[in-house]
Amino acid sequence: MTFIIATIVLIIVSLKWPGMILFLSPGIYMVGADRLSQRWYDKIDKMLGAA
């Protein structure tokens, strides 16, 4: 849910300032996706380690 809200906020900010689409938004999105997905990564690592 947090990921969806962050994506919507980033889209709204990018629509307000179009220059961010080219320079800042992709980087922010990738870093945010990595941070918000960290629990999933840990869960998958545990599942792979148990196999």
Side-chain angles (χ1 to χ4, degrees):
M1 186 68 178
T2 307
F3 186 72
I4 294 170
I5 293 170
T7 301
I8 292 170
V9 168
L10 187 60
I11 289 171
I12 291 170
V13 168
S14 294
L15 289 175
K16 178 109 173 115
W17 295 290
M20 283 187 60
I21 295 171
L22 182 62
F23 296 108
L24 198 56
S25 294
I28 291 173
Y29 193 77
M30 292 304 294
V31 169
D34 183 53
R35 302 273 177 168
L36 292 172
S37 300
Q38 193 62 43
R39 287 188 304 166
W40 289 359
Y41 298 154
D42 294 338
K43 186 176 180 179
I44 291 170
D45 285 342
K46 283 183 186 177
M47 290 170 61
L48 289 174

Short mmCIF file of all heavy atoms in Angstrom, two decimals:
data_model
loop_
_atom_site.label_atom_id
_atom_site.label_comp_id
_atom_site.label_asym_id
_atom_site.label_seq_id
_atom_site.Cartn_x
_atom_site.Cartn_y
_atom_site.Cartn_z
N MET A 1 0.83 -1.19 0.00
CA MET A 1 0.00 0.00 0.00
C MET A 1 0.87 1.26 0.00
O MET A 1 0.56 2.21 -0.68
CB MET A 1 -0.91 -0.05 1.23
CG MET A 1 -1.90 1.07 1.26
SD MET A 1 -3.05 0.82 -0.07
CE MET A 1 -4.13 2.15 0.20
N THR A 2 1.96 1.22 0.77
CA THR A 2 2.87 2.37 0.82
C THR A 2 3.49 2.61 -0.55
O THR A 2 3.66 3.76 -0.96
CB THR A 2 3.98 2.12 1.86
OG1 THR A 2 3.37 1.78 3.09
CG2 THR A 2 4.85 3.33 2.03
N PHE A 3 3.79 1.53 -1.25
CA PHE A 3 4.40 1.66 -2.58
C PHE A 3 3.45 2.36 -3.55
O PHE A 3 3.87 3.22 -4.33
CB PHE A 3 4.78 0.27 -3.10
CG PHE A 3 5.53 0.28 -4.38
CD1 PHE A 3 6.84 0.71 -4.42
CD2 PHE A 3 4.94 -0.12 -5.56
CE1 PHE A 3 7.56 0.73 -5.60
CE2 PHE A 3 5.65 -0.11 -6.75
CZ PHE A 3 6.95 0.32 -6.77
N ILE A 4 2.17 2.03 -3.49
CA ILE A 4 1.18 2.63 -4.38
C ILE A 4 1.03 4.12 -4.06
O ILE A 4 0.99 4.95 -4.97
CB ILE A 4 -0.17 1.90 -4.26
CG1 ILE A 4 -0.03 0.48 -4.78
CG2 ILE A 4 -1.26 2.65 -5.01
CD1 ILE A 4 -1.22 -0.41 -4.50
N ILE A 5 0.98 4.45 -2.78
CA ILE A 5 0.86 5.85 -2.38
C ILE A 5 2.08 6.65 -2.81
O ILE A 5 1.96 7.75 -3.34
CB ILE A 5 0.63 5.96 -0.86
CG1 ILE A 5 -0.74 5.38 -0.50
CG2 ILE A 5 0.75 7.41 -0.39
CD1 ILE A 5 -0.97 5.22 0.98
N ALA A 6 3.27 6.08 -2.63
CA ALA A 6 4.50 6.75 -3.04
C ALA A 6 4.53 6.96 -4.55
O ALA A 6 4.98 8.00 -5.03
CB ALA A 6 5.71 5.95 -2.58
N THR A 7 4.04 5.98 -5.31
CA THR A 7 4.01 6.11 -6.76
C THR A 7 3.06 7.23 -7.18
O THR A 7 3.39 8.04 -8.06
CB THR A 7 3.56 4.78 -7.40
OG1 THR A 7 4.49 3.76 -7.03
CG2 THR A 7 3.52 4.89 -8.90
N ILE A 8 1.90 7.30 -6.55
CA ILE A 8 0.93 8.35 -6.88
C ILE A 8 1.50 9.73 -6.55
O ILE A 8 1.37 10.67 -7.34
CB ILE A 8 -0.40 8.09 -6.15
CG1 ILE A 8 -1.07 6.85 -6.73
CG2 ILE A 8 -1.33 9.30 -6.24
CD1 ILE A 8 -2.26 6.35 -5.95
N VAL A 9 2.13 9.85 -5.39
CA VAL A 9 2.74 11.13 -5.01
C VAL A 9 3.82 11.53 -6.00
O VAL A 9 3.91 12.69 -6.42
CB VAL A 9 3.30 11.06 -3.57
CG1 VAL A 9 4.18 12.25 -3.26
CG2 VAL A 9 2.16 10.95 -2.57
N LEU A 10 4.65 10.59 -6.41
CA LEU A 10 5.71 10.89 -7.37
C LEU A 10 5.13 11.31 -8.72
O LEU A 10 5.65 12.23 -9.37
CB LEU A 10 6.64 9.69 -7.54
CG LEU A 10 7.88 9.93 -8.38
CD1 LEU A 10 8.75 11.02 -7.76
CD2 LEU A 10 8.68 8.66 -8.52
N ILE A 11 4.05 10.69 -9.14
CA ILE A 11 3.40 11.08 -10.40
C ILE A 11 2.84 12.49 -10.30
O ILE A 11 3.01 13.30 -11.22
CB ILE A 11 2.29 10.07 -10.77
CG1 ILE A 11 2.92 8.75 -11.20
CG2 ILE A 11 1.40 10.62 -11.87
CD1 ILE A 11 1.93 7.61 -11.37
N ILE A 12 2.20 12.80 -9.19
CA ILE A 12 1.64 14.15 -9.01
C ILE A 12 2.75 15.20 -9.01
O ILE A 12 2.63 16.24 -9.66
CB ILE A 12 0.79 14.22 -7.72
CG1 ILE A 12 -0.47 13.38 -7.89
CG2 ILE A 12 0.45 15.66 -7.36
CD1 ILE A 12 -1.26 13.17 -6.62
N VAL A 13 3.83 14.93 -8.29
CA VAL A 13 4.95 15.87 -8.25
C VAL A 13 5.57 16.02 -9.64
O VAL A 13 5.92 17.12 -10.06
CB VAL A 13 6.00 15.40 -7.22
CG1 VAL A 13 7.30 16.18 -7.35
CG2 VAL A 13 5.45 15.53 -5.82
N SER A 14 5.68 14.93 -10.38
CA SER A 14 6.26 14.99 -11.72
C SER A 14 5.36 15.75 -12.69
O SER A 14 5.85 16.39 -13.62
CB SER A 14 6.51 13.58 -12.25
OG SER A 14 7.50 12.94 -11.48
N LEU A 15 4.06 15.66 -12.49
CA LEU A 15 3.16 16.45 -13.33
C LEU A 15 3.25 17.93 -13.01
O LEU A 15 3.09 18.77 -13.90
CB LEU A 15 1.71 15.96 -13.15
CG LEU A 15 1.40 14.58 -13.73
CD1 LEU A 15 -0.01 14.16 -13.37
CD2 LEU A 15 1.58 14.57 -15.24
N LYS A 16 3.49 18.26 -11.76
CA LYS A 16 3.62 19.66 -11.36
C LYS A 16 4.93 20.26 -11.89
O LYS A 16 4.94 21.40 -12.34
CB LYS A 16 3.59 19.75 -9.84
CG LYS A 16 3.77 21.11 -9.28
CD LYS A 16 2.50 21.64 -8.70
CE LYS A 16 2.77 22.94 -7.99
NZ LYS A 16 2.12 24.04 -8.62
N TRP A 17 6.02 19.50 -11.81
CA TRP A 17 7.32 19.95 -12.30
C TRP A 17 7.84 18.95 -13.34
O TRP A 17 8.53 17.98 -13.02
CB TRP A 17 8.32 20.04 -11.15
CG TRP A 17 7.95 21.09 -10.16
CD1 TRP A 17 7.98 22.43 -10.33
CD2 TRP A 17 7.49 20.88 -8.81
NE1 TRP A 17 7.55 23.06 -9.19
CE2 TRP A 17 7.25 22.15 -8.25
CE3 TRP A 17 7.25 19.74 -8.04
CZ2 TRP A 17 6.78 22.30 -6.96
CZ3 TRP A 17 6.79 19.90 -6.75
CH2 TRP A 17 6.56 21.15 -6.23
N PRO A 18 7.53 19.18 -14.63
CA PRO A 18 7.87 18.20 -15.68
C PRO A 18 9.37 17.93 -15.83
O PRO A 18 9.76 16.87 -16.30
CB PRO A 18 7.33 18.84 -16.96
CG PRO A 18 6.33 19.85 -16.51
CD PRO A 18 6.74 20.28 -15.15
N GLY A 19 10.22 18.84 -15.42
CA GLY A 19 11.66 18.61 -15.53
C GLY A 19 12.13 17.44 -14.68
O GLY A 19 13.15 16.81 -14.97
N MET A 20 11.39 17.14 -13.63
CA MET A 20 11.76 16.03 -12.76
C MET A 20 11.61 14.69 -13.46
O MET A 20 12.29 13.73 -13.10
CB MET A 20 10.89 16.03 -11.50
CG MET A 20 11.29 17.08 -10.49
SD MET A 20 10.39 16.93 -8.96
CE MET A 20 10.82 15.29 -8.43
N ILE A 21 10.72 14.60 -14.44
CA ILE A 21 10.50 13.33 -15.14
C ILE A 21 11.80 12.85 -15.77
O ILE A 21 12.13 11.67 -15.72
CB ILE A 21 9.38 13.48 -16.20
CG1 ILE A 21 8.04 13.78 -15.51
CG2 ILE A 21 9.28 12.23 -17.06
CD1 ILE A 21 6.93 14.14 -16.46
N LEU A 22 12.53 13.77 -16.33
CA LEU A 22 13.77 13.40 -17.02
C LEU A 22 14.94 13.20 -16.06
O LEU A 22 15.72 12.25 -16.22
CB LEU A 22 14.12 14.48 -18.04
CG LEU A 22 15.36 14.24 -18.89
CD1 LEU A 22 15.19 12.99 -19.73
CD2 LEU A 22 15.61 15.43 -19.78
N PHE A 23 15.05 14.03 -15.05
CA PHE A 23 16.26 14.05 -14.24
C PHE A 23 16.17 13.35 -12.89
O PHE A 23 17.10 12.70 -12.46
CB PHE A 23 16.72 15.49 -14.01
CG PHE A 23 17.11 16.19 -15.27
CD1 PHE A 23 16.30 17.18 -15.79
CD2 PHE A 23 18.26 15.84 -15.95
CE1 PHE A 23 16.65 17.83 -16.96
CE2 PHE A 23 18.61 16.47 -17.12
CZ PHE A 23 17.79 17.47 -17.63
N LEU A 24 15.06 13.50 -12.17
CA LEU A 24 15.04 13.07 -10.79
C LEU A 24 14.08 11.92 -10.51
O LEU A 24 14.38 11.05 -9.72
CB LEU A 24 14.69 14.28 -9.91
CG LEU A 24 15.01 14.20 -8.43
CD1 LEU A 24 16.49 13.91 -8.24
CD2 LEU A 24 14.63 15.48 -7.74
N SER A 25 12.94 11.91 -11.16
CA SER A 25 11.90 10.91 -10.86
C SER A 25 12.35 9.46 -11.04
O SER A 25 12.05 8.63 -10.17
CB SER A 25 10.65 11.18 -11.69
OG SER A 25 10.07 12.39 -11.29
N PRO A 26 13.05 9.10 -12.12
CA PRO A 26 13.46 7.69 -12.25
C PRO A 26 14.37 7.22 -11.11
O PRO A 26 14.20 6.12 -10.59
CB PRO A 26 14.20 7.63 -13.60
CG PRO A 26 13.68 8.79 -14.36
CD PRO A 26 13.40 9.85 -13.33
N GLY A 27 15.28 8.06 -10.70
CA GLY A 27 16.18 7.71 -9.61
C GLY A 27 15.45 7.57 -8.29
O GLY A 27 15.67 6.63 -7.53
N ILE A 28 14.57 8.53 -8.00
CA ILE A 28 13.79 8.47 -6.77
C ILE A 28 12.93 7.22 -6.76
O ILE A 28 12.81 6.54 -5.74
CB ILE A 28 12.92 9.73 -6.61
CG1 ILE A 28 13.78 10.95 -6.34
CG2 ILE A 28 11.88 9.56 -5.50
CD1 ILE A 28 13.02 12.25 -6.34
N TYR A 29 12.33 6.90 -7.90
CA TYR A 29 11.46 5.73 -7.98
C TYR A 29 12.23 4.43 -7.74
O TYR A 29 11.78 3.56 -7.02
CB TYR A 29 10.76 5.70 -9.34
CG TYR A 29 9.62 4.72 -9.40
CD1 TYR A 29 8.41 5.02 -8.82
CD2 TYR A 29 9.77 3.49 -10.03
CE1 TYR A 29 7.36 4.13 -8.87
CE2 TYR A 29 8.73 2.59 -10.08
CZ TYR A 29 7.53 2.92 -9.50
OH TYR A 29 6.50 2.03 -9.54
N MET A 30 13.40 4.32 -8.32
CA MET A 30 14.19 3.10 -8.16
C MET A 30 14.69 2.94 -6.72
O MET A 30 14.63 1.84 -6.16
CB MET A 30 15.39 3.10 -9.12
CG MET A 30 14.99 3.00 -10.57
SD MET A 30 13.98 1.56 -10.94
CE MET A 30 15.13 0.27 -10.64
N VAL A 31 15.16 4.01 -6.11
CA VAL A 31 15.62 3.94 -4.72
C VAL A 31 14.45 3.63 -3.80
O VAL A 31 14.55 2.79 -2.90
CB VAL A 31 16.32 5.25 -4.31
CG1 VAL A 31 16.57 5.30 -2.81
CG2 VAL A 31 17.63 5.41 -5.07
N GLY A 32 13.32 4.29 -4.04
CA GLY A 32 12.13 4.03 -3.22
C GLY A 32 11.63 2.60 -3.37
O GLY A 32 11.26 1.95 -2.38
N ALA A 33 11.62 2.09 -4.59
CA ALA A 33 11.18 0.71 -4.81
C ALA A 33 12.11 -0.27 -4.11
O ALA A 33 11.65 -1.26 -3.53
CB ALA A 33 11.14 0.41 -6.31
N ASP A 34 13.39 0.00 -4.14
CA ASP A 34 14.35 -0.87 -3.45
C ASP A 34 14.12 -0.85 -1.94
O ASP A 34 14.09 -1.91 -1.30
CB ASP A 34 15.77 -0.44 -3.78
CG ASP A 34 16.79 -1.36 -3.15
OD1 ASP A 34 16.70 -2.58 -3.37
OD2 ASP A 34 17.69 -0.85 -2.45
N ARG A 35 13.94 0.33 -1.38
CA ARG A 35 13.74 0.45 0.08
C ARG A 35 12.43 -0.19 0.52
O ARG A 35 12.38 -0.87 1.53
CB ARG A 35 13.74 1.91 0.51
CG ARG A 35 14.96 2.66 0.16
CD ARG A 35 15.98 2.53 1.21
NE ARG A 35 17.18 3.26 0.75
CZ ARG A 35 18.16 3.52 1.50
NH1 ARG A 35 18.14 3.14 2.75
NH2 ARG A 35 19.20 4.13 1.03
N LEU A 36 11.36 0.04 -0.25
CA LEU A 36 10.05 -0.47 0.13
C LEU A 36 9.93 -1.98 -0.11
O LEU A 36 9.05 -2.62 0.46
CB LEU A 36 8.95 0.27 -0.62
CG LEU A 36 8.78 1.74 -0.23
CD1 LEU A 36 7.80 2.43 -1.17
CD2 LEU A 36 8.33 1.87 1.21
N SER A 37 10.79 -2.54 -0.93
CA SER A 37 10.72 -3.97 -1.24
C SER A 37 11.70 -4.80 -0.42
O SER A 37 11.80 -6.01 -0.62
CB SER A 37 11.00 -4.19 -2.73
OG SER A 37 10.05 -3.50 -3.51
N GLN A 38 12.42 -4.17 0.47
CA GLN A 38 13.46 -4.87 1.22
C GLN A 38 12.91 -6.06 2.00
O GLN A 38 13.53 -7.12 2.06
CB GLN A 38 14.16 -3.90 2.18
CG GLN A 38 15.43 -4.46 2.77
CD GLN A 38 16.47 -4.75 1.72
OE1 GLN A 38 16.67 -3.95 0.81
NE2 GLN A 38 17.12 -5.87 1.81
N ARG A 39 11.73 -5.95 2.60
CA ARG A 39 11.15 -7.08 3.34
C ARG A 39 10.88 -8.25 2.41
O ARG A 39 11.06 -9.40 2.77
CB ARG A 39 9.86 -6.66 4.04
CG ARG A 39 10.10 -5.78 5.24
CD ARG A 39 8.83 -5.53 6.00
NE ARG A 39 7.84 -4.96 5.11
CZ ARG A 39 6.54 -4.86 5.38
NH1 ARG A 39 6.07 -5.30 6.50
NH2 ARG A 39 5.71 -4.31 4.52
N TRP A 40 10.42 -7.96 1.19
CA TRP A 40 10.16 -9.02 0.21
C TRP A 40 11.47 -9.72 -0.15
O TRP A 40 11.52 -10.94 -0.29
CB TRP A 40 9.52 -8.47 -1.04
CG TRP A 40 8.10 -8.03 -0.88
CD1 TRP A 40 7.34 -8.07 0.24
CD2 TRP A 40 7.29 -7.46 -1.89
NE1 TRP A 40 6.11 -7.56 -0.01
CE2 TRP A 40 6.04 -7.17 -1.31
CE3 TRP A 40 7.49 -7.15 -3.22
CZ2 TRP A 40 4.99 -6.62 -2.02
CZ3 TRP A 40 6.45 -6.59 -3.93
CH2 TRP A 40 5.22 -6.33 -3.34
N TYR A 41 12.53 -8.92 -0.35
CA TYR A 41 13.82 -9.51 -0.68
C TYR A 41 14.29 -10.44 0.42
O TYR A 41 14.78 -11.54 0.16
CB TYR A 41 14.88 -8.42 -0.91
CG TYR A 41 14.63 -7.48 -2.05
CD1 TYR A 41 15.16 -6.19 -2.04
CD2 TYR A 41 13.87 -7.85 -3.15
CE1 TYR A 41 14.94 -5.31 -3.08
CE2 TYR A 41 13.64 -6.97 -4.20
CZ TYR A 41 14.18 -5.70 -4.16
OH TYR A 41 13.97 -4.83 -5.18
N ASP A 42 14.14 -10.00 1.67
CA ASP A 42 14.56 -10.83 2.81
C ASP A 42 13.74 -12.11 2.88
O ASP A 42 14.28 -13.19 3.14
CB ASP A 42 14.42 -10.06 4.11
CG ASP A 42 15.38 -8.87 4.20
OD1 ASP A 42 16.40 -8.89 3.47
OD2 ASP A 42 15.10 -7.95 4.98
N LYS A 43 12.46 -12.02 2.63
CA LYS A 43 11.59 -13.19 2.67
C LYS A 43 11.97 -14.19 1.58
O LYS A 43 12.05 -15.40 1.82
CB LYS A 43 10.13 -12.77 2.51
CG LYS A 43 9.14 -13.88 2.67
CD LYS A 43 7.72 -13.35 2.59
CE LYS A 43 6.73 -14.48 2.76
NZ LYS A 43 5.35 -13.99 2.70
N ILE A 44 12.25 -13.71 0.39
CA ILE A 44 12.65 -14.58 -0.72
C ILE A 44 14.00 -15.22 -0.43
O ILE A 44 14.21 -16.41 -0.69
CB ILE A 44 12.67 -13.79 -2.05
CG1 ILE A 44 11.25 -13.43 -2.45
CG2 ILE A 44 13.35 -14.59 -3.15
CD1 ILE A 44 11.16 -12.45 -3.60
N ASP A 45 14.94 -14.44 0.13
CA ASP A 45 16.24 -15.00 0.49
C ASP A 45 16.10 -16.13 1.51
O ASP A 45 16.78 -17.14 1.40
CB ASP A 45 17.16 -13.91 1.06
CG ASP A 45 17.70 -12.99 -0.01
OD1 ASP A 45 17.66 -13.37 -1.21
OD2 ASP A 45 18.16 -11.88 0.33
N LYS A 46 15.23 -15.96 2.50
CA LYS A 46 14.99 -17.02 3.48
C LYS A 46 14.41 -18.26 2.82
O LYS A 46 14.80 -19.38 3.12
CB LYS A 46 14.04 -16.53 4.57
CG LYS A 46 14.67 -15.64 5.58
CD LYS A 46 13.65 -15.25 6.65
CE LYS A 46 14.21 -14.23 7.60
NZ LYS A 46 13.19 -13.82 8.58
N MET A 47 13.46 -18.05 1.90
CA MET A 47 12.83 -19.19 1.23
C MET A 47 13.84 -19.93 0.35
O MET A 47 13.84 -21.16 0.29
CB MET A 47 11.65 -18.71 0.38
CG MET A 47 10.47 -18.25 1.22
SD MET A 47 9.18 -17.40 0.30
CE MET A 47 8.67 -18.65 -0.84
N LEU A 48 14.72 -19.21 -0.31
CA LEU A 48 15.73 -19.84 -1.17
C LEU A 48 16.80 -20.54 -0.33
O LEU A 48 17.34 -21.57 -0.72
CB LEU A 48 16.37 -18.82 -2.08
CG LEU A 48 15.47 -18.28 -3.20
CD1 LEU A 48 16.18 -17.16 -3.94
CD2 LEU A 48 15.06 -19.38 -4.15
N GLY A 49 17.10 -19.98 0.81
CA GLY A 49 18.10 -20.58 1.69
C GLY A 49 17.59 -21.88 2.33
O GLY A 49 18.38 -22.77 2.62
N ALA A 50 16.31 -22.00 2.53
CA ALA A 50 15.73 -23.19 3.16
C ALA A 50 15.62 -24.35 2.17
O ALA A 50 15.49 -25.50 2.59
CB ALA A 50 14.35 -22.87 3.73
N ALA A 51 15.66 -24.05 0.88
CA ALA A 51 15.46 -25.10 -0.12
C ALA A 51 16.66 -25.91 -0.33
O ALA A 51 17.57 -26.28 -0.01
CB ALA A 51 15.09 -24.47 -1.47
#
